[in-house]
Amino acid sequence: MPLLPETARQVDLLVARAQAEGRGPSLALGVVRDGRLAHLAVAGETPRPDADLQYRIGSITKTMTAVLVMQQRDAGRLSLDDPLDAHLPGTPVGSVTVRQLLGHVSGLQREPDGDWWERVGGTDLDTLLAGLTPDKIAYPPHFVYHYSNLAYGLLGAALERITGTPWAELLTERLLAPLGMRRTTYHPTEPYARGYVVHPWHETLREEPRTDTAAMAPAGQLWSTVEDLGRWATFLADPDPALLSPATLTEMCAPMVINDLDSWTGGHGLGIELYRVGDRVYVGHGGSMPGYVAGLAVHRPTGTAVVNFANSYGLRGHHIGALGREALTLVLDAEPAAPAPWRPADPPAADVAALTGRWWWMGGEYEFRVDAAGDLVGGQVGRPQLRFTREGPDRWRGRAGSQDGEILT
């Protein structure tokens, strides 16, 4: 369903202001709702954007690499606590684990050695691995949040060794093709926006290089469109179980680390960035490559998302990710999701019905009822946060809130 006219007008204004003030040659922002593009806001004429125009997505690529890793974990071909050496034998940084690499808590340095990998032609996998030295580990694991592009180059290398399939082929086979993301590609495919840097004094454009990052591709190589990245946002909201277990994606969205200890508004899960905006938490990732910036933010409870791109390296006074999150918050505030209609339930079993009502524990009053799925739901009166699923006679397993995972008998 498209946005209401007033909501659309406000989103369009946000985009127009960011493009004008930020000096972006072009800017595109898509609002995704219920698996469809609900609104496209565009600004700029170099070139004029549409939903099928490719931009480079940079580190949003990492979210796809992370899903490939979790697919292999779910298939039993690796453990998140495997040391890297189990899959890349002999590497001098092999003591760090897959989990630590995914969550940017391995302590591994940000970049590989050599020239800036984003701006020059990449090296092959053997050269990348040969360039590793023990001092590439800057901090002990879990000592500090330390974002690492190198970590994702190494995760891509591990995937190739485990599956026998190059990362780009594995990505197409396991994710892009099944999701119908035909316009998400390794190399740019027309029509695509050229990427620029804007001269700081006379506002002319200089075209930036479009490199093949080779062994570092799993960290930031891909190109995509509003339409295609909207499909990926829908997957991150509610994945197809044939591709990834919903429970696994929820696991990926649990914080491994808080990345801003002063304000606690951001964190990192297993390849997924987390953003706290007011009472909501969005998941997604940002991306940048020379000449391009991109953002992806998803509100999983409502299946609403924003994807956005610009084809200049930074927008003066504006952050592409913050712009997307501002638009997403605007949409959620202006058009809250309607609650599911209440329907009468079938009578519960007598032994379950006996558990409903009010209970007291440690001086507090609790209230429980049975929902349509047969679960016990409730908690302290006025604070319903608990859910229990039946496992057998007089035995229940906590599935939400402070008793998640605990046994109730």
Side-chain angles (χ1 to χ4, degrees):
M1 181 182 296
L3 298 185
L4 297 174
E6 177 57 22
T7 310
R9 187 192 69 81
Q10 293 186 53
V11 171
D12 289 345
L13 182 60
L14 280 179
V15 169
R17 183 179 294 125
Q19 186 271 336
E21 296 174 354
R23 303 185 304 179
S26 71
L27 199 160
L29 182 148
V31 178
V32 179
R33 190 162 56 184
D34 299 326
R36 297 185 178 183
L37 186 62
H39 184 68
L40 176 66
V42 301
E45 301 290 339
T46 314
R48 184 67 177 173
D50 60 40
D52 194 50
L53 182 69
Q54 275 192 341
Y55 293 79
R56 201 162 198 180
I57 67 172
S59 288
I60 297 174
T61 301
K62 291 182 175 72
T63 63
M64 301 179 194
T65 298
V67 168
L68 292 176
V69 170
M70 298 305 286
Q71 286 177 332
Q72 294 302 310
R73 192 287 302 270
D74 287 356
R77 303 187 75 178
L78 63 83
S79 166
L80 293 185
D81 295 316
D82 285 346
L84 184 61
D85 192 65
H87 305 291
L88 298 175
T91 174
V93 296
S95 62
V96 298
T97 69
V98 173
R99 186 190 305 274
Q100 292 162 357
L101 292 168
L102 284 169
H104 298 289
V105 292
S106 69
L108 199 64
Q109 287 191 354
R110 185 179 178 99
E111 315 294 2
D113 286 337
D115 294 334
W116 185 9
W117 66 273
E118 296 178 357
R119 297 189 65 86
V120 298
T123 60
D124 61 25
L125 181 54
D126 289 340
T127 303
L128 176 69
L129 296 177
L132 294 175
T133 56
D135 62 4
K136 293 303 287 182
I137 299 180
Y139 299 100
H142 299 281
F143 182 76
V144 66
Y145 168 76
H146 192 69
Y147 189 90
S148 178
N149 288 306
L150 177 58
Y152 275 75
L154 297 178
L155 287 169
L159 284 168
E160 182 168 336
R161 294 289 173 84
I162 290 167
T163 65
T165 304
W167 171 84
E169 294 180 25
L170 188 70
L171 176 71
T172 299
E173 174 189 326
R174 300 292 179 88
L175 290 176
L176 302 184
L179 291 172
M181 295 172 64
R182 62 176 184 82
R183 289 283 287 147
T184 301
T185 57
Y186 187 96
H187 292 295
T189 305
E190 296 285 8
Y192 69 91
R194 274 63 180 168
Y196 302 99
V197 63
V198 180
H199 195 286
W201 298 302
H202 49 64
E203 300 196 1
T204 56
L205 299 179
R206 185 185 71 190
E207 192 169 343
E208 291 285 80
R210 295 180 289 277
T211 53
D212 180 345
T213 56
M216 287 294 292
Q221 174 67 31
L222 294 179
W223 299 72
S224 193
T225 67
V226 168
E227 193 77 49
D228 258 23
L229 203 59
R231 291 188 175 94
W232 184 242
T234 297
F235 177 86
L236 292 181
D238 186 19
D240 179 351
L243 299 178
L244 190 73
S245 162
T248 295
L249 185 54
T250 297
E251 178 186 2
M252 295 176 70
C253 295
M256 284 280 291
V257 64
I258 300 298
N259 60 26
D260 60 342
L261 294 179
D262 292 332
S263 61
W264 287 51
T265 59
H268 221 104
L270 297 173
I272 305 291
E273 289 182 343
L274 313 172
Y275 316 104
R276 183 169 63 82
V277 180
D279 292 333
R280 300 184 182 105
V281 174
Y282 304 149
V283 305
H285 214 288
S288 67
M289 289 293 278
Y292 302 91
V293 286
L296 165 66
V298 182
H299 186 236
R300 298 193 71 207
T302 60
T304 309
V306 165
V307 300
N308 55 334
F309 309 101
N311 62 328
S312 62
Y313 199 60
L315 294 171
R316 183 177 63 176
H318 293 266
H319 186 282
I320 194 76
L323 173 66
R325 295 190 290 276
E326 183 179 0
L328 179 55
T329 301
L330 188 160
V331 170
L332 292 172
D333 286 347
E335 302 184 23
W342 176 85
R343 294 184 176 88
D346 295 330
D351 61 335
V352 177
L355 301 179
T356 61
R358 294 201 169 182
W359 297 76
W360 283 261
W361 179 51
M362 295 182 67
E365 189 176 12
Y366 288 73
E367 184 176 73
F368 286 91
R369 62 182 177 81
V370 181
D371 72 0
D375 290 352
L376 280 174
V377 294
Q380 281 191 288
V381 174
R383 296 174 56 198
Q385 56 166 325
L386 304 179
R387 175 178 294 272
F388 292 91
T389 298
R390 189 169 191 166
E391 287 195 341
D394 203 30
R395 180 182 173 90
W396 300 75
R397 174 78 67 174
R399 294 302 181 195
S402 60
Q403 302 299 317
D404 191 13
E406 301 294 325
I407 295 294
L408 173 69
T409 58

